[in-house]
Amino acid sequence: MSLYYHKRITIVPRLLHLNIGTHGWSLSLGTRRAHITRGSGGHGRASVRLPGGFSWHRNFRRR
């Protein structure tokens, strides 16, 4: 059985959040429609949600 913990801390309402979990932390910058997330392991993701159920995302890694 695995344990899971997740806590979301709002730094700037509706714009910047700190997410803390059992495997590390991440920062999310942006709104629900478009945001960028960067994790403690160097992983990141940019996401955009478009009207009509379409979305776009791109994963990237620090070099």
Side-chain angles (χ1 to χ4, degrees):
M1 182 172 122
S2 341
L3 294 174
Y4 178 75
Y5 174 77
H6 183 260
K7 178 71 176 173
R8 183 176 183 174
I9 301 169
T10 301
I11 298 172
V12 178
R14 300 175 127 185
L15 186 63
L16 184 62
H17 303 280
L18 173 64
N19 304 301
I20 301 171
T22 51
H23 298 288
W25 57 269
S26 67
L27 280 172
S28 295
L29 174 67
T31 63
R32 295 174 97 188
R33 289 255 183 215
H35 63 274
I36 297 174
T37 303
R38 177 65 93 170
S40 59
H43 298 282
R45 181 178 186 135
S47 302
V48 177
R49 288 181 17 194
L50 304 170
F54 296 102
S55 65
W56 173 86
H57 68 270
R58 176 154 180 119
N59 296 327
F60 53 90
R61 202 179 167 129
R62 185 177 8 188
R63 294 181 184 182

PDB file of all heavy atoms in Angstrom, residues 22-61:
ATOM      1  N   THR A  22       4.171  14.002  -1.970  1.00  0.00           N
ATOM      2  CA  THR A  22       5.107  13.028  -1.422  1.00  0.00           C
ATOM      3  C   THR A  22       6.353  12.877  -2.278  1.00  0.00           C
ATOM      4  O   THR A  22       7.401  12.472  -1.788  1.00  0.00           O
ATOM      5  CB  THR A  22       4.428  11.656  -1.289  1.00  0.00           C
ATOM      6  OG1 THR A  22       3.822  11.322  -2.523  1.00  0.00           O
ATOM      7  CG2 THR A  22       3.387  11.679  -0.201  1.00  0.00           C
ATOM      8  N   HIS A  23       6.286  13.212  -3.554  1.00  0.00           N
ATOM      9  CA  HIS A  23       7.431  13.037  -4.443  1.00  0.00           C
ATOM     10  C   HIS A  23       8.126  14.343  -4.808  1.00  0.00           C
ATOM     11  O   HIS A  23       8.970  14.361  -5.697  1.00  0.00           O
ATOM     12  CB  HIS A  23       6.995  12.325  -5.720  1.00  0.00           C
ATOM     13  CG  HIS A  23       6.463  10.952  -5.468  1.00  0.00           C
ATOM     14  ND1 HIS A  23       7.261   9.889  -5.107  1.00  0.00           N
ATOM     15  CD2 HIS A  23       5.208  10.477  -5.483  1.00  0.00           C
ATOM     16  CE1 HIS A  23       6.528   8.831  -4.926  1.00  0.00           C
ATOM     17  NE2 HIS A  23       5.264   9.151  -5.153  1.00  0.00           N
ATOM     18  N   GLY A  24       7.758  15.456  -4.169  1.00  0.00           N
ATOM     19  CA  GLY A  24       8.422  16.727  -4.459  1.00  0.00           C
ATOM     20  C   GLY A  24       7.442  17.881  -4.466  1.00  0.00           C
ATOM     21  O   GLY A  24       6.349  17.786  -3.931  1.00  0.00           O
ATOM     22  N   TRP A  25       7.848  18.963  -5.096  1.00  0.00           N
ATOM     23  CA  TRP A  25       7.026  20.170  -5.137  1.00  0.00           C
ATOM     24  C   TRP A  25       6.980  20.688  -6.569  1.00  0.00           C
ATOM     25  O   TRP A  25       7.776  20.305  -7.414  1.00  0.00           O
ATOM     26  CB  TRP A  25       7.593  21.249  -4.213  1.00  0.00           C
ATOM     27  CG  TRP A  25       9.010  21.598  -4.528  1.00  0.00           C
ATOM     28  CD1 TRP A  25      10.128  21.034  -3.995  1.00  0.00           C
ATOM     29  CD2 TRP A  25       9.461  22.562  -5.487  1.00  0.00           C
ATOM     30  NE1 TRP A  25      11.247  21.595  -4.558  1.00  0.00           N
ATOM     31  CE2 TRP A  25      10.871  22.541  -5.481  1.00  0.00           C
ATOM     32  CE3 TRP A  25       8.819  23.438  -6.345  1.00  0.00           C
ATOM     33  CZ2 TRP A  25      11.631  23.352  -6.290  1.00  0.00           C
ATOM     34  CZ3 TRP A  25       9.583  24.252  -7.168  1.00  0.00           C
ATOM     35  CH2 TRP A  25      10.975  24.204  -7.122  1.00  0.00           C
ATOM     36  N   SER A  26       6.022  21.570  -6.830  1.00  0.00           N
ATOM     37  CA  SER A  26       5.936  22.222  -8.127  1.00  0.00           C
ATOM     38  C   SER A  26       5.301  23.593  -7.962  1.00  0.00           C
ATOM     39  O   SER A  26       4.573  23.844  -6.998  1.00  0.00           O
ATOM     40  CB  SER A  26       5.141  21.387  -9.122  1.00  0.00           C
ATOM     41  OG  SER A  26       3.785  21.305  -8.730  1.00  0.00           O
ATOM     42  N   LEU A  27       5.587  24.472  -8.904  1.00  0.00           N
ATOM     43  CA  LEU A  27       4.990  25.804  -8.950  1.00  0.00           C
ATOM     44  C   LEU A  27       4.123  25.898 -10.199  1.00  0.00           C
ATOM     45  O   LEU A  27       4.552  25.480 -11.273  1.00  0.00           O
ATOM     46  CB  LEU A  27       6.063  26.889  -9.018  1.00  0.00           C
ATOM     47  CG  LEU A  27       6.734  27.266  -7.723  1.00  0.00           C
ATOM     48  CD1 LEU A  27       7.895  28.208  -8.005  1.00  0.00           C
ATOM     49  CD2 LEU A  27       5.767  27.915  -6.783  1.00  0.00           C
ATOM     50  N   SER A  28       2.924  26.436 -10.059  1.00  0.00           N
ATOM     51  CA  SER A  28       2.037  26.650 -11.192  1.00  0.00           C
ATOM     52  C   SER A  28       1.796  28.143 -11.336  1.00  0.00           C
ATOM     53  O   SER A  28       1.391  28.807 -10.383  1.00  0.00           O
ATOM     54  CB  SER A  28       0.701  25.947 -10.978  1.00  0.00           C
ATOM     55  OG  SER A  28       0.881  24.565 -10.936  1.00  0.00           O
ATOM     56  N   LEU A  29       2.020  28.659 -12.541  1.00  0.00           N
ATOM     57  CA  LEU A  29       1.847  30.074 -12.827  1.00  0.00           C
ATOM     58  C   LEU A  29       0.860  30.214 -13.975  1.00  0.00           C
ATOM     59  O   LEU A  29       1.066  29.640 -15.049  1.00  0.00           O
ATOM     60  CB  LEU A  29       3.183  30.715 -13.217  1.00  0.00           C
ATOM     61  CG  LEU A  29       3.138  32.165 -13.673  1.00  0.00           C
ATOM     62  CD1 LEU A  29       2.732  33.063 -12.510  1.00  0.00           C
ATOM     63  CD2 LEU A  29       4.482  32.583 -14.219  1.00  0.00           C
ATOM     64  N   GLY A  30      -0.218  30.958 -13.749  1.00  0.00           N
ATOM     65  CA  GLY A  30      -1.196  31.186 -14.802  1.00  0.00           C
ATOM     66  C   GLY A  30      -2.613  30.951 -14.325  1.00  0.00           C
ATOM     67  O   GLY A  30      -2.866  30.746 -13.146  1.00  0.00           O
ATOM     68  N   THR A  31      -3.530  30.971 -15.273  1.00  0.00           N
ATOM     69  CA  THR A  31      -4.948  30.786 -14.970  1.00  0.00           C
ATOM     70  C   THR A  31      -5.363  29.363 -15.325  1.00  0.00           C
ATOM     71  O   THR A  31      -4.547  28.554 -15.741  1.00  0.00           O
ATOM     72  CB  THR A  31      -5.787  31.786 -15.784  1.00  0.00           C
ATOM     73  OG1 THR A  31      -5.600  31.508 -17.163  1.00  0.00           O
ATOM     74  CG2 THR A  31      -5.372  33.217 -15.489  1.00  0.00           C
ATOM     75  N   ARG A  32      -6.649  29.082 -15.215  1.00  0.00           N
ATOM     76  CA  ARG A  32      -7.142  27.756 -15.563  1.00  0.00           C
ATOM     77  C   ARG A  32      -7.022  27.495 -17.060  1.00  0.00           C
ATOM     78  O   ARG A  32      -6.846  26.368 -17.489  1.00  0.00           O
ATOM     79  CB  ARG A  32      -8.597  27.622 -15.155  1.00  0.00           C
ATOM     80  CG  ARG A  32      -8.794  27.694 -13.674  1.00  0.00           C
ATOM     81  CD  ARG A  32     -10.260  27.696 -13.360  1.00  0.00           C
ATOM     82  NE  ARG A  32     -10.672  26.351 -13.020  1.00  0.00           N
ATOM     83  CZ  ARG A  32     -11.914  25.976 -12.849  1.00  0.00           C
ATOM     84  NH1 ARG A  32     -12.886  26.825 -13.007  1.00  0.00           N
ATOM     85  NH2 ARG A  32     -12.202  24.747 -12.528  1.00  0.00           N
ATOM     86  N   ARG A  33      -7.142  28.514 -17.862  1.00  0.00           N
ATOM     87  CA  ARG A  33      -7.089  28.356 -19.324  1.00  0.00           C
ATOM     88  C   ARG A  33      -5.661  28.179 -19.845  1.00  0.00           C
ATOM     89  O   ARG A  33      -5.439  27.443 -20.796  1.00  0.00           O
ATOM     90  CB  ARG A  33      -7.709  29.559 -20.003  1.00  0.00           C
ATOM     91  CG  ARG A  33      -9.164  29.626 -19.851  1.00  0.00           C
ATOM     92  CD  ARG A  33      -9.805  29.219 -21.145  1.00  0.00           C
ATOM     93  NE  ARG A  33     -11.239  29.335 -21.035  1.00  0.00           N
ATOM     94  CZ  ARG A  33     -12.049  28.501 -21.641  1.00  0.00           C
ATOM     95  NH1 ARG A  33     -11.580  27.547 -22.370  1.00  0.00           N
ATOM     96  NH2 ARG A  33     -13.329  28.653 -21.520  1.00  0.00           N
ATOM     97  N   ALA A  34      -4.703  28.886 -19.276  1.00  0.00           N
ATOM     98  CA  ALA A  34      -3.316  28.807 -19.745  1.00  0.00           C
ATOM     99  C   ALA A  34      -2.385  28.891 -18.544  1.00  0.00           C
ATOM    100  O   ALA A  34      -2.475  29.826 -17.760  1.00  0.00           O
ATOM    101  CB  ALA A  34      -3.024  29.944 -20.712  1.00  0.00           C
ATOM    102  N   HIS A  35      -1.525  27.894 -18.384  1.00  0.00           N
ATOM    103  CA  HIS A  35      -0.600  27.931 -17.252  1.00  0.00           C
ATOM    104  C   HIS A  35       0.679  27.160 -17.578  1.00  0.00           C
ATOM    105  O   HIS A  35       0.729  26.349 -18.492  1.00  0.00           O
ATOM    106  CB  HIS A  35      -1.250  27.391 -15.987  1.00  0.00           C
ATOM    107  CG  HIS A  35      -1.648  25.955 -16.068  1.00  0.00           C
ATOM    108  ND1 HIS A  35      -2.843  25.549 -16.582  1.00  0.00           N
ATOM    109  CD2 HIS A  35      -0.995  24.837 -15.708  1.00  0.00           C
ATOM    110  CE1 HIS A  35      -2.925  24.244 -16.522  1.00  0.00           C
ATOM    111  NE2 HIS A  35      -1.803  23.767 -16.000  1.00  0.00           N
ATOM    112  N   ILE A  36       1.692  27.449 -16.783  1.00  0.00           N
ATOM    113  CA  ILE A  36       2.987  26.782 -16.866  1.00  0.00           C
ATOM    114  C   ILE A  36       3.276  26.186 -15.497  1.00  0.00           C
ATOM    115  O   ILE A  36       3.098  26.845 -14.474  1.00  0.00           O
ATOM    116  CB  ILE A  36       4.106  27.771 -17.251  1.00  0.00           C
ATOM    117  CG1 ILE A  36       3.847  28.336 -18.637  1.00  0.00           C
ATOM    118  CG2 ILE A  36       5.457  27.104 -17.175  1.00  0.00           C
ATOM    119  CD1 ILE A  36       4.812  29.411 -19.045  1.00  0.00           C
ATOM    120  N   THR A  37       3.721  24.950 -15.473  1.00  0.00           N
ATOM    121  CA  THR A  37       4.049  24.262 -14.230  1.00  0.00           C
ATOM    122  C   THR A  37       5.496  23.819 -14.290  1.00  0.00           C
ATOM    123  O   THR A  37       5.950  23.280 -15.303  1.00  0.00           O
ATOM    124  CB  THR A  37       3.136  23.034 -14.037  1.00  0.00           C
ATOM    125  OG1 THR A  37       1.789  23.459 -14.058  1.00  0.00           O
ATOM    126  CG2 THR A  37       3.419  22.342 -12.728  1.00  0.00           C
ATOM    127  N   ARG A  38       6.234  24.029 -13.208  1.00  0.00           N
ATOM    128  CA  ARG A  38       7.635  23.616 -13.119  1.00  0.00           C
ATOM    129  C   ARG A  38       7.809  22.831 -11.827  1.00  0.00           C
ATOM    130  O   ARG A  38       7.434  23.290 -10.757  1.00  0.00           O
ATOM    131  CB  ARG A  38       8.540  24.838 -13.116  1.00  0.00           C
ATOM    132  CG  ARG A  38       9.987  24.540 -12.948  1.00  0.00           C
ATOM    133  CD  ARG A  38      10.547  23.759 -14.099  1.00  0.00           C
ATOM    134  NE  ARG A  38      11.096  24.689 -15.068  1.00  0.00           N
ATOM    135  CZ  ARG A  38      11.817  24.316 -16.083  1.00  0.00           C
ATOM    136  NH1 ARG A  38      12.062  23.058 -16.311  1.00  0.00           N
ATOM    137  NH2 ARG A  38      12.282  25.203 -16.903  1.00  0.00           N
ATOM    138  N   GLY A  39       8.368  21.635 -11.929  1.00  0.00           N
ATOM    139  CA  GLY A  39       8.525  20.764 -10.778  1.00  0.00           C
ATOM    140  C   GLY A  39       9.926  20.759 -10.218  1.00  0.00           C
ATOM    141  O   GLY A  39      10.863  21.289 -10.816  1.00  0.00           O
ATOM    142  N   SER A  40      10.082  20.118  -9.058  1.00  0.00           N
ATOM    143  CA  SER A  40      11.366  20.071  -8.382  1.00  0.00           C
ATOM    144  C   SER A  40      12.378  19.202  -9.116  1.00  0.00           C
ATOM    145  O   SER A  40      13.575  19.387  -8.971  1.00  0.00           O
ATOM    146  CB  SER A  40      11.187  19.556  -6.956  1.00  0.00           C
ATOM    147  OG  SER A  40      10.611  18.261  -6.973  1.00  0.00           O
ATOM    148  N   GLY A  41      11.941  18.266  -9.927  1.00  0.00           N
ATOM    149  CA  GLY A  41      12.846  17.393 -10.653  1.00  0.00           C
ATOM    150  C   GLY A  41      13.272  17.938 -12.002  1.00  0.00           C
ATOM    151  O   GLY A  41      13.920  17.238 -12.774  1.00  0.00           O
ATOM    152  N   GLY A  42      12.909  19.179 -12.314  1.00  0.00           N
ATOM    153  CA  GLY A  42      13.293  19.781 -13.575  1.00  0.00           C
ATOM    154  C   GLY A  42      12.270  19.606 -14.679  1.00  0.00           C
ATOM    155  O   GLY A  42      12.448  20.088 -15.783  1.00  0.00           O
ATOM    156  N   HIS A  43      11.200  18.909 -14.403  1.00  0.00           N
ATOM    157  CA  HIS A  43      10.157  18.715 -15.397  1.00  0.00           C
ATOM    158  C   HIS A  43       9.229  19.922 -15.423  1.00  0.00           C
ATOM    159  O   HIS A  43       8.999  20.560 -14.411  1.00  0.00           O
ATOM    160  CB  HIS A  43       9.318  17.472 -15.071  1.00  0.00           C
ATOM    161  CG  HIS A  43      10.113  16.223 -15.077  1.00  0.00           C
ATOM    162  ND1 HIS A  43      10.487  15.589 -16.220  1.00  0.00           N
ATOM    163  CD2 HIS A  43      10.635  15.493 -14.065  1.00  0.00           C
ATOM    164  CE1 HIS A  43      11.184  14.512 -15.923  1.00  0.00           C
ATOM    165  NE2 HIS A  43      11.291  14.439 -14.604  1.00  0.00           N
ATOM    166  N   GLY A  44       8.679  20.185 -16.580  1.00  0.00           N
ATOM    167  CA  GLY A  44       7.756  21.293 -16.708  1.00  0.00           C
ATOM    168  C   GLY A  44       6.689  20.987 -17.740  1.00  0.00           C
ATOM    169  O   GLY A  44       6.808  20.041 -18.522  1.00  0.00           O
ATOM    170  N   ARG A  45       5.643  21.790 -17.739  1.00  0.00           N
ATOM    171  CA  ARG A  45       4.561  21.605 -18.686  1.00  0.00           C
ATOM    172  C   ARG A  45       3.876  22.943 -18.926  1.00  0.00           C
ATOM    173  O   ARG A  45       3.603  23.679 -17.986  1.00  0.00           O
ATOM    174  CB  ARG A  45       3.560  20.603 -18.127  1.00  0.00           C
ATOM    175  CG  ARG A  45       2.411  20.319 -19.047  1.00  0.00           C
ATOM    176  CD  ARG A  45       1.497  19.280 -18.432  1.00  0.00           C
ATOM    177  NE  ARG A  45       0.480  18.917 -19.375  1.00  0.00           N
ATOM    178  CZ  ARG A  45       0.091  17.698 -19.629  1.00  0.00           C
ATOM    179  NH1 ARG A  45       0.625  16.699 -18.979  1.00  0.00           N
ATOM    180  NH2 ARG A  45      -0.844  17.455 -20.504  1.00  0.00           N
ATOM    181  N   ALA A  46       3.611  23.231 -20.187  1.00  0.00           N
ATOM    182  CA  ALA A  46       2.831  24.402 -20.566  1.00  0.00           C
ATOM    183  C   ALA A  46       1.510  23.887 -21.131  1.00  0.00           C
ATOM    184  O   ALA A  46       1.505  22.970 -21.958  1.00  0.00           O
ATOM    185  CB  ALA A  46       3.566  25.225 -21.608  1.00  0.00           C
ATOM    186  N   SER A  47       0.398  24.444 -20.692  1.00  0.00           N
ATOM    187  CA  SER A  47      -0.921  23.978 -21.109  1.00  0.00           C
ATOM    188  C   SER A  47      -1.816  25.144 -21.468  1.00  0.00           C
ATOM    189  O   SER A  47      -1.789  26.179 -20.813  1.00  0.00           O
ATOM    190  CB  SER A  47      -1.593  23.193 -19.988  1.00  0.00           C
ATOM    191  OG  SER A  47      -0.817  22.101 -19.599  1.00  0.00           O
ATOM    192  N   VAL A  48      -2.630  24.935 -22.499  1.00  0.00           N
ATOM    193  CA  VAL A  48      -3.639  25.915 -22.911  1.00  0.00           C
ATOM    194  C   VAL A  48      -4.920  25.155 -23.207  1.00  0.00           C
ATOM    195  O   VAL A  48      -4.904  24.191 -23.983  1.00  0.00           O
ATOM    196  CB  VAL A  48      -3.200  26.704 -24.165  1.00  0.00           C
ATOM    197  CG1 VAL A  48      -4.297  27.652 -24.609  1.00  0.00           C
ATOM    198  CG2 VAL A  48      -1.912  27.455 -23.910  1.00  0.00           C
ATOM    199  N   ARG A  49      -6.015  25.552 -22.574  1.00  0.00           N
ATOM    200  CA  ARG A  49      -7.322  24.967 -22.855  1.00  0.00           C
ATOM    201  C   ARG A  49      -8.085  25.911 -23.763  1.00  0.00           C
ATOM    202  O   ARG A  49      -8.234  27.094 -23.463  1.00  0.00           O
ATOM    203  CB  ARG A  49      -8.090  24.753 -21.557  1.00  0.00           C
ATOM    204  CG  ARG A  49      -7.529  23.622 -20.756  1.00  0.00           C
ATOM    205  CD  ARG A  49      -8.248  23.335 -19.478  1.00  0.00           C
ATOM    206  NE  ARG A  49      -9.578  23.898 -19.381  1.00  0.00           N
ATOM    207  CZ  ARG A  49     -10.265  23.993 -18.264  1.00  0.00           C
ATOM    208  NH1 ARG A  49      -9.741  23.565 -17.145  1.00  0.00           N
ATOM    209  NH2 ARG A  49     -11.460  24.516 -18.243  1.00  0.00           N
ATOM    210  N   LEU A  50      -8.575  25.386 -24.874  1.00  0.00           N
ATOM    211  CA  LEU A  50      -9.278  26.179 -25.869  1.00  0.00           C
ATOM    212  C   LEU A  50     -10.777  25.885 -25.827  1.00  0.00           C
ATOM    213  O   LEU A  50     -11.190  24.813 -25.386  1.00  0.00           O
ATOM    214  CB  LEU A  50      -8.731  25.853 -27.267  1.00  0.00           C
ATOM    215  CG  LEU A  50      -7.227  26.039 -27.432  1.00  0.00           C
ATOM    216  CD1 LEU A  50      -6.769  25.468 -28.754  1.00  0.00           C
ATOM    217  CD2 LEU A  50      -6.869  27.502 -27.313  1.00  0.00           C
ATOM    218  N   PRO A  51     -11.604  26.823 -26.271  1.00  0.00           N
ATOM    219  CA  PRO A  51     -13.043  26.576 -26.303  1.00  0.00           C
ATOM    220  C   PRO A  51     -13.382  25.394 -27.212  1.00  0.00           C
ATOM    221  O   PRO A  51     -12.674  25.102 -28.174  1.00  0.00           O
ATOM    222  CB  PRO A  51     -13.618  27.873 -26.878  1.00  0.00           C
ATOM    223  CG  PRO A  51     -12.571  28.893 -26.671  1.00  0.00           C
ATOM    224  CD  PRO A  51     -11.262  28.172 -26.700  1.00  0.00           C
ATOM    225  N   GLY A  52     -14.459  24.712 -26.899  1.00  0.00           N
ATOM    226  CA  GLY A  52     -14.900  23.587 -27.705  1.00  0.00           C
ATOM    227  C   GLY A  52     -14.284  22.263 -27.303  1.00  0.00           C
ATOM    228  O   GLY A  52     -14.400  21.275 -28.022  1.00  0.00           O
ATOM    229  N   GLY A  53     -13.611  22.209 -26.161  1.00  0.00           N
ATOM    230  CA  GLY A  53     -13.038  20.960 -25.682  1.00  0.00           C
ATOM    231  C   GLY A  53     -11.644  20.656 -26.198  1.00  0.00           C
ATOM    232  O   GLY A  53     -11.127  19.559 -25.993  1.00  0.00           O
ATOM    233  N   PHE A  54     -11.014  21.593 -26.882  1.00  0.00           N
ATOM    234  CA  PHE A  54      -9.662  21.382 -27.391  1.00  0.00           C
ATOM    235  C   PHE A  54      -8.638  21.870 -26.373  1.00  0.00           C
ATOM    236  O   PHE A  54      -8.901  22.791 -25.610  1.00  0.00           O
ATOM    237  CB  PHE A  54      -9.465  22.140 -28.707  1.00  0.00           C
ATOM    238  CG  PHE A  54     -10.359  21.647 -29.809  1.00  0.00           C
ATOM    239  CD1 PHE A  54     -11.492  22.357 -30.146  1.00  0.00           C
ATOM    240  CD2 PHE A  54     -10.058  20.477 -30.485  1.00  0.00           C
ATOM    241  CE1 PHE A  54     -12.323  21.913 -31.144  1.00  0.00           C
ATOM    242  CE2 PHE A  54     -10.876  20.022 -31.486  1.00  0.00           C
ATOM    243  CZ  PHE A  54     -12.023  20.740 -31.822  1.00  0.00           C
ATOM    244  N   SER A  55      -7.477  21.251 -26.386  1.00  0.00           N
ATOM    245  CA  SER A  55      -6.403  21.692 -25.493  1.00  0.00           C
ATOM    246  C   SER A  55      -5.059  21.427 -26.158  1.00  0.00           C
ATOM    247  O   SER A  55      -4.946  20.623 -27.090  1.00  0.00           O
ATOM    248  CB  SER A  55      -6.482  20.984 -24.147  1.00  0.00           C
ATOM    249  OG  SER A  55      -6.248  19.608 -24.297  1.00  0.00           O
ATOM    250  N   TRP A  56      -4.040  22.109 -25.671  1.00  0.00           N
ATOM    251  CA  TRP A  56      -2.673  21.961 -26.154  1.00  0.00           C
ATOM    252  C   TRP A  56      -1.765  21.927 -24.943  1.00  0.00           C
ATOM    253  O   TRP A  56      -1.964  22.662 -23.980  1.00  0.00           O
ATOM    254  CB  TRP A  56      -2.304  23.153 -27.043  1.00  0.00           C
ATOM    255  CG  TRP A  56      -0.868  23.171 -27.453  1.00  0.00           C
ATOM    256  CD1 TRP A  56      -0.323  22.532 -28.523  1.00  0.00           C
ATOM    257  CD2 TRP A  56       0.206  23.845 -26.796  1.00  0.00           C
ATOM    258  NE1 TRP A  56       1.025  22.776 -28.579  1.00  0.00           N
ATOM    259  CE2 TRP A  56       1.379  23.577 -27.517  1.00  0.00           C
ATOM    260  CE3 TRP A  56       0.292  24.640 -25.651  1.00  0.00           C
ATOM    261  CZ2 TRP A  56       2.615  24.073 -27.150  1.00  0.00           C
ATOM    262  CZ3 TRP A  56       1.523  25.135 -25.281  1.00  0.00           C
ATOM    263  CH2 TRP A  56       2.666  24.853 -26.029  1.00  0.00           C
ATOM    264  N   HIS A  57      -0.781  21.055 -24.955  1.00  0.00           N
ATOM    265  CA  HIS A  57       0.213  21.035 -23.886  1.00  0.00           C
ATOM    266  C   HIS A  57       1.562  20.614 -24.449  1.00  0.00           C
ATOM    267  O   HIS A  57       1.653  19.962 -25.482  1.00  0.00           O
ATOM    268  CB  HIS A  57      -0.207  20.116 -22.739  1.00  0.00           C
ATOM    269  CG  HIS A  57      -0.206  18.662 -23.102  1.00  0.00           C
ATOM    270  ND1 HIS A  57      -1.307  18.041 -23.608  1.00  0.00           N
ATOM    271  CD2 HIS A  57       0.763  17.737 -23.048  1.00  0.00           C
ATOM    272  CE1 HIS A  57      -1.013  16.777 -23.843  1.00  0.00           C
ATOM    273  NE2 HIS A  57       0.242  16.568 -23.507  1.00  0.00           N
ATOM    274  N   ARG A  58       2.584  21.044 -23.752  1.00  0.00           N
ATOM    275  CA  ARG A  58       3.948  20.690 -24.142  1.00  0.00           C
ATOM    276  C   ARG A  58       4.754  20.414 -22.882  1.00  0.00           C
ATOM    277  O   ARG A  58       4.793  21.239 -21.969  1.00  0.00           O
ATOM    278  CB  ARG A  58       4.584  21.827 -24.922  1.00  0.00           C
ATOM    279  CG  ARG A  58       6.002  21.555 -25.271  1.00  0.00           C
ATOM    280  CD  ARG A  58       6.401  22.300 -26.497  1.00  0.00           C
ATOM    281  NE  ARG A  58       7.784  22.006 -26.810  1.00  0.00           N
ATOM    282  CZ  ARG A  58       8.156  21.438 -27.922  1.00  0.00           C
ATOM    283  NH1 ARG A  58       7.266  21.120 -28.813  1.00  0.00           N
ATOM    284  NH2 ARG A  58       9.414  21.199 -28.152  1.00  0.00           N
ATOM    285  N   ASN A  59       5.375  19.252 -22.844  1.00  0.00           N
ATOM    286  CA  ASN A  59       6.254  18.888 -21.739  1.00  0.00           C
ATOM    287  C   ASN A  59       7.676  19.303 -22.070  1.00  0.00           C
ATOM    288  O   ASN A  59       8.100  19.218 -23.218  1.00  0.00           O
ATOM    289  CB  ASN A  59       6.208  17.377 -21.495  1.00  0.00           C
ATOM    290  CG  ASN A  59       4.848  16.913 -21.055  1.00  0.00           C
ATOM    291  OD1 ASN A  59       4.134  17.637 -20.365  1.00  0.00           O
ATOM    292  ND2 ASN A  59       4.466  15.725 -21.457  1.00  0.00           N
ATOM    293  N   PHE A  60       8.399  19.749 -21.063  1.00  0.00           N
ATOM    294  CA  PHE A  60       9.801  20.107 -21.275  1.00  0.00           C
ATOM    295  C   PHE A  60      10.601  19.758 -20.034  1.00  0.00           C
ATOM    296  O   PHE A  60      10.067  19.500 -18.980  1.00  0.00           O
ATOM    297  CB  PHE A  60       9.956  21.591 -21.644  1.00  0.00           C
ATOM    298  CG  PHE A  60       9.302  22.554 -20.698  1.00  0.00           C
ATOM    299  CD1 PHE A  60       9.981  23.060 -19.622  1.00  0.00           C
ATOM    300  CD2 PHE A  60       7.990  22.944 -20.910  1.00  0.00           C
ATOM    301  CE1 PHE A  60       9.380  23.946 -18.754  1.00  0.00           C
ATOM    302  CE2 PHE A  60       7.375  23.843 -20.045  1.00  0.00           C
ATOM    303  CZ  PHE A  60       8.076  24.333 -18.972  1.00  0.00           C
ATOM    304  N   ARG A  61      11.909  19.726 -20.205  1.00  0.00           N
ATOM    305  CA  ARG A  61      12.811  19.346 -19.130  1.00  0.00           C
ATOM    306  C   ARG A  61      13.984  20.294 -19.084  1.00  0.00           C
ATOM    307  O   ARG A  61      14.485  20.721 -20.119  1.00  0.00           O
ATOM    308  CB  ARG A  61      13.311  17.946 -19.402  1.00  0.00           C
ATOM    309  CG  ARG A  61      13.773  17.290 -18.176  1.00  0.00           C
ATOM    310  CD  ARG A  61      14.238  15.890 -18.426  1.00  0.00           C
ATOM    311  NE  ARG A  61      14.923  15.571 -17.205  1.00  0.00           N
ATOM    312  CZ  ARG A  61      14.737  14.522 -16.496  1.00  0.00           C
ATOM    313  NH1 ARG A  61      13.966  13.590 -16.920  1.00  0.00           N
ATOM    314  NH2 ARG A  61      15.357  14.377 -15.357  1.00  0.00           N
TER     315      ARG A  61
END
